[in-house]
Amino acid sequence: MRAATASSAASHTDFLGHPKGVFVCFFTEMWERFSFYGMKALLLLYILKYHLFGDDAGFDLLGAYGGLVYAVPVIGGLLADRYLGMRKAVVLGGVLLVLGHLGMAYEGEQARIVDGIVVRDEGALQVFYLSLALIIMGVGFLKPNISTIVGKLYAPEDPRRDSGFTLFYAGINVGALFASLVCAFLGETYGWKYGFGAAGIGMIAGLIVFIWGQKYLYGLAEPNDPAKLRERVGPLSREWWIYIGSVAGALLVWQLIQRTWTVHGAMHLIAAALAVWFIWFLVRHCTKVERQQMLALVVLIVGVLIFFTLYEQTYGSWVTFTDRMLTKDLFGMTPGNYQPGIPWAMFALAASPILMVTALRASDRGNGGLAKAAVIAMVVGLAIALVHDVVLVPQTAGSLTFLGAFFIVVLAPIFSWLWPWLDRRGLNPSKPAKMAIGLVFAGLAFVPLMLAAQSAGSGVLASVWWLVLAYFLLELGEMCLSPIGLSAVTQLSVARVVGLMMGAFWLATAYSEVLAAQFGKLTSMEVLEGETFDMAVAATRYGDLFQLMLWIGVGSGIAYFVLSPLVRRWMHGVR
């Protein structure tokens, strides 16, 4: 009822056909994703090159971090739903993220090898681990709740809801797109602290926009039961216990992230426990139809797990492969005697919050011309900066991760037209068929990299365009998978355990990070002091991994095609 009322009231103060709160959430999530992916693009390279971790240890840390960053939102979402409310959860998450990203900017002394032993700045490493923990907890509170706010801004029957979420997810991809071009480029070109610092400043911008834009949320993000939140439990209110608990959680994660085997082991145990519970629940508490729908859901969740195990190679083995064995300049149009400058995207991004605030305030005053002009200026500025930074600036291994978000931005409008077009003709593939197509494309994405590894084995860097083709194929796969996932959970799960199944979905995504890291370790190269990097040996190891990923993706895709008719019957009419 509250959502419907707010949506109706807000209809008089919409902007570009949507509630203004959507644009506040758009910018908050854009900057959160900017900081998150900017840091992630640098993470593996930073620990390998600056702190001189071996490849195995680097991949283990990357897997533990990725696993926790997708697992903790299950807790953050539950606390916000039951007690804290979305607004306070997002602000708490934003503050933790700012502290974490700025902490990452503290480098300390670079590790060095003395008499064959790696000597590291242990104090700086502890700051690094604590910063990772703060980021993990921050994402846990912010990520699951910002999208919930978007949903509350529309009445359940509002026909603009789907396009509103499309606009919101565009913010995610814009943030991810520019994150690599700015943060990774600065970190690898000028110093790691500048890349991590830029990520922190981006998150500050997002937090400021969210706090400033509270009036456009119409009170929909407040706690469900404020009295319960204020209720004292011992010496403090329940709200303060949640804040203290979040800090304690960060301190716990600080210790866990240093012992990656505990995180990996916990993930395996959780997966086993969920499997046992699921079998028990199917046997004891489900009707035949419910049992079959739940089985169909698990098949789809497993498909998502397989896909993201392949996909997350983009921040692991793909990054080290690009760094070691590929050229970096996409177009060869860098001016002669080029000296690295500041990415133009920094200026366009810095102007974007000012322009968005100007647009919303102008709309409040009824000045639609100024509001639209501000939005156009923002879009044009970002587009010009993107072209400049991609075409005229040599990329780095980390900055080239922008390709994933770039192809999502390019392909999303095509696929958003394609699925309804196919549906009108009775040709729209079922969920399991789309899963199969996505897995096949994910597997095929590794073919260009196999060819690149083969080429680089001769000792000459392979063309970066092999990587571009790999990303294109991978994102075709993601576009096929994107209609599946969370919607399948809500449609197929038994209603009384839908929350638990939603948690299982996110834990499957977390588990894929751990698995991706273990596969990435197959490419590990430990180069001893005084030795040179052996391109031929590296090419063989990368080629073997890429071939394995190819067979996993294509093989799984074929299996899903075969299972598709059965799974479709188990879904009992759910599309």
Side-chain angles (χ1 to χ4, degrees):
M1 179 63 72
R2 290 180 68 197
T5 302
S7 185
S8 175
S11 64
H12 302 293
T13 56
D14 286 351
F15 180 57
L16 300 180
H18 289 278
K20 292 177 183 177
V22 172
F23 297 92
V24 172
C25 294
F26 170 101
F27 261 75
T28 306
E29 182 68 352
M30 184 189 87
W31 284 110
E32 187 273 331
R33 292 291 91 182
F34 173 87
S35 65
F36 177 78
Y37 283 111
M39 189 280 289
K40 194 173 182 181
L42 283 173
L43 181 58
L44 184 58
L45 294 171
Y46 174 62
I47 55 186
L48 294 181
K49 292 185 173 185
Y50 190 81
H51 289 297
L52 300 185
F53 278 50
D55 281 8
D56 278 356
F59 279 112
D60 279 338
L61 180 60
L62 184 69
Y65 168 76
L68 287 168
V69 90
Y70 281 104
V72 172
V74 176
I75 301 171
L78 288 172
L79 286 173
D81 285 344
R82 184 164 294 185
Y83 302 114
L84 202 55
M86 281 78 69
R87 178 182 65 82
K88 292 186 177 185
V90 169
V91 172
L92 172 59
V95 170
L96 292 172
L97 279 164
V98 167
L99 294 174
H101 284 297
L102 294 180
M104 293 284 289
Y106 175 73
E107 295 178 347
E109 292 186 17
Q110 181 164 358
R112 60 195 185 279
I113 298 176
V114 179
D115 297 328
I117 299 173
V118 178
V119 178
R120 300 187 178 96
D121 184 337
E122 292 299 328
L125 266 179
Q126 289 302 313
V127 173
F128 165 70
Y129 288 129
L130 179 58
S131 300
L132 285 182
L134 290 167
I135 291 170
I136 289 166
M137 293 300 295
V139 171
F141 278 99
L142 190 149
K143 185 172 176 57
N145 293 302
I146 192 76
S147 55
T148 306
I149 296 173
V150 174
K152 284 182 171 289
L153 289 168
Y154 297 93
E157 70 281 1
D158 194 326
R160 302 172 301 166
R161 173 183 286 267
D162 286 347
S163 59
F165 270 100
T166 300
L167 181 66
F168 173 69
Y169 289 125
I172 295 175
N173 293 310
V174 169
L177 174 60
F178 285 102
S180 304
L181 291 173
V182 173
C183 300
F185 178 83
L186 291 176
E188 292 180 82
T189 304
Y190 292 104
W192 306 104
K193 61 186 177 185
Y194 296 107
F196 292 129
I201 292 170
M203 192 59 243
I204 291 173
L207 189 57
I208 290 172
V209 168
F210 183 77
I211 293 172
W212 172 83
Q214 289 304 296
K215 63 180 178 179
Y216 299 119
L217 302 183
Y218 313 111
L220 296 171
E222 297 307 308
N224 289 326
D225 188 349
K228 195 177 205 179
L229 191 61
R230 291 193 299 269
E231 186 179 305
R232 296 184 73 82
V233 180
L236 299 171
S237 68
R238 184 173 275 111
E239 180 176 357
W240 274 103
W241 279 119
I242 292 173
Y243 296 147
I244 292 170
S246 67
V247 173
L251 296 177
L252 174 62
V253 173
W254 178 26
Q255 297 306 309
L256 289 176
I257 203 73
Q258 300 179 58
R259 299 161 180 82
T260 55
W261 61 270
T262 61
V263 178
H264 293 200
M267 290 290 178
H268 298 322
L269 289 174
I270 290 170
L274 274 173
V276 170
W277 169 84
F278 183 76
I279 293 169
W280 171 81
F281 183 78
L282 287 187
V283 172
R284 298 292 300 274
H285 295 281
C286 291
T287 65
K288 181 181 178 181
V289 171
E290 288 175 337
R291 188 176 301 120
Q292 290 179 344
Q293 287 187 323
M294 289 285 279
L295 285 170
L297 174 58
V298 167
V299 170
L300 295 176
I301 289 176
V302 170
V304 170
L305 185 154
I306 295 170
F307 178 84
F308 281 104
T309 299
L310 303 179
Y311 187 93
E312 285 303 323
Q313 297 301 319
T314 55
Y315 288 96
S317 62
W318 286 27
V319 168
T320 58
F321 180 71
T322 303
D323 184 55
R324 295 163 176 173
M325 309 195 74
L326 295 182
T327 60
K328 312 295 186 292
D329 196 349
L330 285 167
F331 295 97
M333 296 177 64
T334 304
N337 300 318
Y338 170 78
Q339 294 294 322
I342 297 175
W344 284 17
M346 284 187 63
F347 302 109
L349 288 168
S352 63
I354 299 170
L355 290 169
M356 194 70 247
V357 169
T358 299
L360 292 176
R361 296 190 67 178
S363 177
D364 288 344
R365 296 192 297 269
N367 192 341
L370 175 60
K372 290 177 182 177
V375 172
I376 292 170
M378 179 181 65
V379 173
V380 170
L382 289 172
I384 292 172
L386 176 64
V387 172
H388 173 272
D389 293 347
V390 170
V391 175
L392 298 178
V393 177
Q395 301 302 308
T396 65
S399 70
L400 282 165
T401 58
F402 89 90
L403 288 164
F406 172 77
F407 280 121
I408 291 177
V409 170
V410 171
L411 293 171
I414 299 172
F415 275 83
S416 65
W417 163 83
L418 177 63
W419 298 132
W421 185 84
L422 290 173
D423 195 56
R424 287 194 297 271
R425 288 157 179 78
L427 299 173
N428 194 12
S430 64
K431 279 183 167 66
K434 285 176 180 173
M435 179 74 70
I437 297 168
L439 287 168
V440 169
F441 272 119
L444 292 176
F446 289 86
V447 173
L449 298 180
M450 288 170 57
L451 297 173
Q454 215 171 48
S455 172
S458 63
V460 179
L461 296 178
S463 171
V464 69
W465 283 95
W466 290 117
L467 181 70
V468 176
L469 179 56
Y471 266 108
F472 174 69
L473 292 169
L474 185 65
E475 296 309 338
L476 284 175
E478 185 173 4
M479 287 295 100
C480 294
L481 251 84
S482 59
I484 307 169
L486 294 178
S487 64
V489 176
T490 57
Q491 290 175 300
L492 293 170
S493 175
V494 174
R496 58 187 178 276
V497 294
V498 67
L500 184 59
M501 293 307 295
M502 194 72 77
F505 175 86
W506 286 115
L507 289 171
T509 308
Y511 195 50
S512 71
E513 295 269 355
V514 173
L515 294 177
Q518 297 310 304
F519 281 117
K521 287 166 67 174
L522 297 176
T523 66
S524 292
M525 294 282 292
E526 308 298 339
V527 181
L528 300 177
E529 187 179 11
E531 292 185 356
T532 56
F533 183 76
D534 192 323
M535 292 277 282
V537 172
T540 300
R541 293 191 182 181
Y542 281 108
D544 289 345
L545 171 66
F546 297 153
Q547 186 177 56
L548 177 59
M549 297 289 98
L550 164 66
W551 293 124
I552 289 175
V554 173
S556 299
I558 292 172
Y560 271 77
F561 272 122
V562 172
L563 289 171
S564 181
L566 175 63
V567 175
R568 200 163 59 245
R569 285 199 301 274
W570 283 349
M571 292 168 70
H572 291 277
V574 172
R575 299 185 63 191

